[in-house]
Amino acid sequence: MARVIGELMDDIRLPFGVDCISDGLATIELAAAVSADFVRGTFSEFMLAMEE
């Protein structure tokens, strides 16, 4: 997905978001890598606990 977004960045004119199905951490990492404006995903307490 990052490769596709990278190829399209010059043509994207609207705010866009990303979602890696059932992988909240991957969603956040992808969003940071492609400067996404928002994310959608499944975020669990386990993932939040790992961040602390």
Side-chain angles (χ1 to χ4, degrees):
M1 184 182 293
R3 170 71 188 256
V4 172
I5 293 170
E7 294 288 330
L8 296 173
M9 283 301 290
D10 292 336
D11 298 322
I12 297 174
R13 303 282 182 244
L14 298 172
F16 70 94
V18 296
D19 181 12
C20 298
I21 299 171
S22 298
D23 191 340
L25 185 56
T27 299
I28 292 170
E29 292 170 343
L30 176 60
V34 300
S35 300
D37 297 298
F38 60 91
V39 299
R40 291 185 64 178
T42 303
F43 302 94
S44 68
E45 291 180 33
F46 174 74
M47 187 188 90
L48 296 174
M50 289 177 31
E51 297 294 322
E52 293 179 355

